Amino acid sequence: MVPFSRFEAKTLLKLTGPIMLAQLTQTMMYFVDTVMAGRFSATDMAALAVASGLWLPVVLTLQGLLLALTPIVAQYYGSKQTEPVSHFTLQSLYLGMLLAGLLFVLMLFADIPIGMLNMQDELRDKTLQYLYYVSWGLFPAAGYIVIRNLFEGIGNTKASMWISFVGILVNIPANYIFIYGKLGMPALGGAGCGIATSLVFLAMFGAMLIYGWYSRTTRPYRHWPKQLSANLKDIWYIVCLGTPIAFSIFFEVTLFACIPLAIVHLGPIVVAGHQVANNYSALVFMLPLSFGLATTIRVGHLVGQQNNKELKKAIITALCMAIFMSFFIACFTFFMRTYVASLYSTNPAVIAMASSLLILACFYQLSDAIQVVSACALRGMKITKPVFYITLFAYWPIGFGLGAVLGLTDWLVQPMGAHGFWVGIIIGLSTAAIMLALILRKHIKRIDNEIQHAAEHSTKHSSKHSPAG
């Protein structure tokens, strides 16, 4: 058994910090949008909530597909090859702009799914307005995601942190101008957040390009690759690697997004309690998620270096730290659950419901941390297909399916309501954690065999060339 490595722990934490701050800053932007739109009117806040249900899966799908660039760059960076890094970054940019164009066209038909929902005309109009304005941000968003993945692949995670600060500095005044109609602009209410978000992506893309041009870390890659035209073979390779990542993210996002729809008939107190617990869980998930993204980068570097001994240390250290992290989050959640719930609501019934659900949230912190770090370690080795199949099976048939049986039927027990869905989430995430850990264990054994084979080869080589006694 490889012992816990302090060096790897320090390296992972150094990568994690900036990623976590960048993730939290982006989460803060959605919070700012909600608060500023809500102060304009309740209808505008509702329009933003409805539109986000369609917009967020679109953006996360785009992000997931382009995330394939990170392990590709990380492995070439580890092997000190600069030309493929520039080449695959350009190919990812072509792919990103193509996907942005396709998604933009699809967003033009957003009135079809929105029209199927039973809502007031004013709410529907504001929702469609927001989606139209924000869809223009797909193009700079794709560019920003590609350049961010390049930076993270070469181990410069501070870039995304600094650029995220630029984003929020643009977001607040842009929201103010377009929501409330300042500086001669029309007062668009919640729809103005769509324009602000597009401007944020444009500013972040531009800032990332400027940062990349002057940063010392990108100096080896500041040249045009030998092939400037689109390489369909390499673009298809990125698609094949990124599609399982995109769908894995999509399965998780839609799992949590669909639960409120399934329990809406149980009343506003239950839905509000679930929303509080879900929002808090999403916030604390930023910690293991950021750590997982750092694991992808570190594993990719070591695979590129063909340093199997250090690779095994890095994976085991990452898992040990994830387990420690999960216990810390679980203990904090358990002891602070009532206080956390009271930050979201002053209604005693909502606080009681949210507090009871947060107790259940404590139970899946361990499995959630293990599954995200295992999946990210596999991603660093460019192994993504098993993650796709496991998350599909664990999140939906088990997580949502069992949750619906426990929450809404009396097939196994008396209907548990929202608590049944959270039990389903616990079992689903635990299933994913076990299966992903087994896949990762299989690859750690393969690494062990390669280390042993290399040691035997080295011993034979040494004995062959040693002087006769």
Side-chain angles (χ1 to χ4, degrees), residues 256-257 259-260 263 268-286 329 333 336-345 349-365 368 418-419 421-423 425-426 429:
F256 285 94
I259 291 175
I263 62 174
I269 298 297
V270 174
V271 175
H274 164 80
Q275 189 60 26
V276 168
N278 183 37
N279 189 274
Y280 168 79
S281 298
L283 189 63
V284 296
F285 179 66
M286 292 296 171
I329 295 172
T333 302
M336 300 296 290
R337 63 188 186 279
T338 304
Y339 176 73
V340 167
S342 66
L343 292 176
Y344 286 87
S345 177
V350 173
I351 293 173
M353 172 60 67
S355 298
S356 64
L357 292 175
L358 285 172
I359 292 175
L360 293 175
C362 297
F363 287 95
Y364 72 67
Q365 295 304 324
D368 206 13
H419 296 81
F421 281 96
W422 281 73
V423 172
I425 290 171
I426 293 170
L429 289 175

Side-chain angles (χ1 to χ4, degrees), residues 78-372:
S79 61
K80 302 187 185 307
Q81 298 182 61
T82 58
E83 174 61 29
V85 171
S86 302
H87 171 75
F88 275 99
T89 300
L90 182 61
Q91 299 305 315
S92 293
L93 199 55
Y94 288 143
L95 174 62
M97 292 303 161
L98 175 63
L99 290 171
L102 292 173
L103 291 170
F104 178 81
V105 172
L106 287 175
M107 293 290 280
L108 294 177
F109 297 94
D111 58 313
I112 297 174
I114 296 298
M116 295 178 182
L117 300 175
N118 184 18
M119 64 174 77
Q120 298 173 355
D121 291 339
E122 183 186 5
L123 177 57
R124 182 182 295 107
D125 291 342
K126 286 182 178 290
T127 301
L128 292 173
Q129 266 188 303
Y130 173 90
L131 290 172
Y132 173 74
Y133 292 136
V134 81
S135 62
W136 288 99
L138 283 166
F139 298 97
Y144 163 72
I145 292 167
V146 169
I147 306 301
R148 173 179 172 169
N149 290 341
L150 164 65
F151 271 107
E152 292 185 352
I154 62 176
N156 184 350
T157 56
K158 289 182 180 178
S160 57
M161 177 186 72
W162 294 121
I163 302 306
S164 67
F165 294 155
V166 172
I168 201 161
L169 288 175
V170 172
N171 189 45
I172 294 172
N175 271 341
Y176 182 70
I177 291 168
F178 292 104
I179 291 174
Y180 299 102
K182 304 299 180 179
L183 300 180
M185 296 297 170
L188 298 172
C193 294
I195 298 179
T197 301
S198 291
L199 291 175
V200 164
F201 280 126
L202 183 61
M204 290 170 71
F205 179 39
M208 191 66 92
L209 288 174
I210 294 169
Y211 187 99
W213 185 256
Y214 290 102
S215 173
R216 285 179 298 174
T217 57
T218 55
R219 188 174 296 162
Y221 316 105
R222 283 203 297 266
H223 61 81
W224 290 107
K226 293 176 182 177
Q227 183 180 357
L228 294 176
S229 60
N231 185 313
L232 296 180
K233 181 181 177 182
D234 289 337
I235 289 176
W236 181 246
Y237 172 68
I238 297 168
V239 170
C240 291
L241 191 62
T243 299
I245 301 173
F247 275 108
S248 298
I249 294 172
F250 179 78
F251 294 147
E252 185 167 7
V253 170
T254 52
L255 167 65
F256 285 94
C258 288
I259 291 175
L261 301 178
I263 62 174
V264 68
H265 66 283
L266 299 177
I269 298 297
V270 174
V271 175
H274 164 80
Q275 189 60 26
V276 168
N278 183 37
N279 189 274
Y280 168 79
S281 298
L283 189 63
V284 296
F285 179 66
M286 292 296 171
L287 190 56
L289 175 61
S290 301
F291 189 72
L293 294 173
T295 303
T296 296
I297 297 166
R298 183 58 181 160
V299 167
H301 289 173
L302 294 172
V303 169
Q305 294 170 16
Q306 297 182 344
N307 189 343
N308 285 335
K309 284 186 178 179
E310 203 63 31
L311 174 61
K312 184 178 177 183
K313 285 182 184 179
I315 293 172
I316 291 175
T317 300
L319 287 170
C320 290
M321 292 178 73
I323 291 168
F324 173 79
M325 194 184 305
S326 67
F327 278 115
F328 172 78
I329 295 172
C331 290
F332 178 85
T333 302
F334 181 79
F335 290 111
M336 300 296 290
R337 63 188 186 279
T338 304
Y339 176 73
V340 167
S342 66
L343 292 176
Y344 286 87
S345 177
T346 55
N347 187 317
V350 173
I351 293 173
M353 172 60 67
S355 298
S356 64
L357 292 175
L358 285 172
I359 292 175
L360 293 175
C362 297
F363 287 95
Y364 72 67
Q365 295 304 324
L366 176 62
S367 55
D368 206 13
I370 291 174
Q371 67 97 13
V372 73

Side-chain angles (χ1 to χ4, degrees), residues 244-245 248 251 371 374-376 378-379 383-393 436 439:
I245 301 173
S248 298
F251 294 147
Q371 67 97 13
S374 298
C376 287
L378 290 168
R379 188 187 304 166
I383 301 166
T384 58
K385 285 185 179 178
V387 181
F388 164 76
Y389 294 118
I390 289 170
T391 51
L392 171 60
F393 174 70
L436 287 169
I439 296 289

Side-chain angles (χ1 to χ4, degrees), residues 455-469:
E456 289 173 356
H457 179 75
S458 177
T459 303
K460 287 180 183 178
H461 184 76
S462 298
S463 61
K464 189 182 291 185
H465 290 83
S466 61

